[in-house]
Amino acid sequence: MIVSGKDLAARLKAEMAAEVATFPEKYGRVPHLVVILVGENPASVSYVTGKAKDSAEVGIKNTTLRMPESVTEQELLDVIAKLNADSDVDGLIVQLPLPKHISEDRVIEAIAVEKDVDGFHPLNVAALWQKRPCVLPCTPKGIIRMLDDAGVEIAGKKAVVMGRSNIVGLPAAKLLLDRNATVTIVHSRTPNLAEVTAEADILVVAIGRPKLVTADMVKPGAVVIDVGVNRDPETGKLCGDVDFAACVDKASVITPVPGGVGPMTRCCLMENTIECFLKNQTK
Ligand code: NAP
């Protein structure tokens, strides 16, 4: 089964749009997401544009604040402080990466935890690891949604997560663990990588290496979730970390790139914005 994150995201966004349409009457306004973009990095510009498009589809108010590459860290922190204090703003994102002269850690920490729709704030991360209520990071949340929608049983399965980044690998491993999978995390220093991955019932790949995962690394019948977004060095087209053509017949469930995890990441950002908005209403 090839699982289309695009179709699932479209379904979930339609449901969210119907819910958000009821908010003006219930709460007097719709959720408001502010996205800060520093500089002109083409990938960041495209991600920010995608967030504005998704917001429009769901009925969420979106403000994109563009700042020059030369903005100082203090100027950025001042804008964040203002938005933190603005009760009309429910979600706040600073698009990463930031220019080298700005500390991403300081910026992430400056965002009010209740507006941290990316789920990157240290308090949200700590809450995730302590199994307390928190905003879940969008990509791992989207992965679990896709597994559930595809009817994949997670409990009791051997899951291998390739990659240990703060935004994908580590939280994906934690969410799988919370669903009672037995989880192994592998990374660039793991010896005999293929032997470990070939044991996985569920293989989540988030390494940023085009088509590194080949058929011999996949167990027959495995569920393969490809998070990677790369340019194929041969064709120049978008591709994942998994050699899709080689693995599609070996896996029982596999996600394509593009059209797999990416749309679900974006969809979960909309969900998180609504979640933060609703929490704001009950305060
Ligand atoms: P990252 O911060 O660069 O982390 C990459 C991880 O992969 C690291 O833990 C690294 O190991 C490991 N790794 C690198 N080469 C490896 C190899 N040859 N074998 C085994 N492990 C290896 O990347 P990220 O932010 O997690 O993103 C990973 C990929 O997902 C990228 O392609 C990114 O564009 C994509 N992504 C997609 C979405 C989406 O929504 N679809 C969202 C976020 C990211 P070490 O720790 O040992 O260095």
Side-chain angles (χ1 to χ4, degrees):
M1 187 200 321
I2 299 172
V3 172
S4 166
K6 202 173 157 197
D7 291 351
L8 176 58
R11 232 190 307 143
L12 293 173
K13 281 193 284 184
E15 286 172 20
M16 283 189 268
E19 189 190 0
V20 171
T22 67
F23 288 171
E25 199 180 316
K26 277 193 206 153
Y27 306 112
R29 67 182 184 89
V30 294
H32 183 192
L33 171 66
V34 177
V35 182
I36 301 179
L37 173 64
V38 177
E40 304 276 338
N41 175 328
S44 296
V45 170
S46 122
Y47 288 136
V48 165
T49 308
K51 285 164 188 170
K53 189 171 158 276
D54 292 332
S55 300
E57 274 176 46
V58 172
I60 287 174
K61 179 178 166 189
N62 182 294
T63 305
T64 302
L65 295 178
R66 288 170 175 264
M67 295 182 152
E69 183 95 14
S70 59
V71 72
T72 66
E73 184 177 293
Q74 194 52 53
E75 283 166 337
L76 178 56
L77 292 174
D78 289 346
V79 170
I80 292 171
K82 245 171 101 182
L83 293 164
N84 282 345
D86 184 344
S87 60
D88 179 55
V89 174
D90 304 289
L92 175 53
I93 284 182
V94 179
Q95 186 65 47
L96 302 177
L98 288 168
K100 294 237 174 326
H101 64 278
I102 300 176
S103 156
E104 290 188 353
D105 284 351
R106 268 197 289 275
V107 166
I108 290 169
E109 244 180 284
I111 294 171
V113 65
E114 66 274 12
K115 301 190 183 193
D116 171 37
V117 282
D118 264 337
F120 293 167
H121 191 286
L123 289 177
N124 266 324
V125 176
L128 168 66
W129 286 89
Q130 294 186 348
K131 262 191 169 175
R132 297 187 198 201
C134 63
V135 178
L136 292 176
C138 300
T139 303
K141 183 177 181 176
I143 291 171
I144 299 292
R145 280 260 190 295
M146 289 175 92
L147 291 172
D148 285 342
D149 191 68
V152 173
E153 177 75 40
I154 301 174
K157 295 289 163 58
K158 271 192 192 170
V160 173
V161 178
M162 296 181 73
R164 53 177 166 179
S165 71
N166 286 333
I167 62 167
V168 189
L170 288 183
K174 177 66 167 93
L175 292 184
L176 289 163
L177 191 61
D178 287 348
R179 294 287 296 269
N180 298 320
T182 301
V183 181
T184 303
I185 302 174
V186 297
H187 45 78
S188 68
R189 311 287 179 89
T190 302
N192 308 325
L193 199 63
E195 274 172 37
V196 185
T197 61
E199 295 265 295
D201 301 310
I202 300 173
L203 182 61
V204 175
V205 192
I207 54 177
R209 300 281 180 269
K211 297 182 175 175
L212 183 128
V213 174
T214 43
D216 58 306
M217 298 169 75
V218 174
K219 179 178 172 176
V223 172
V224 179
I225 305 290
D226 189 355
V227 184
V229 180
N230 313 293
R231 287 273 160 209
D232 186 325
E234 281 159 26
T235 64
K237 289 189 179 157
L238 273 192
C239 74
D241 292 339
V242 175
D243 186 344
F244 184 86
C247 297
V248 65
D249 291 332
K250 204 163 179 195
S252 62
V253 173
I254 190 164
T255 62
V257 178
V261 174
M264 283 306 295
T265 297
R266 290 168 51 177
C267 175
C268 287
L269 178 67
M270 298 298 112
E271 266 192 25
N272 284 354
T273 305
I274 294 172
E275 196 180 300
C276 289
F277 167 82
L278 289 173
K279 272 194 217 141
N280 280 345
Q281 307 309 308
T282 53
K283 269 192 190 148

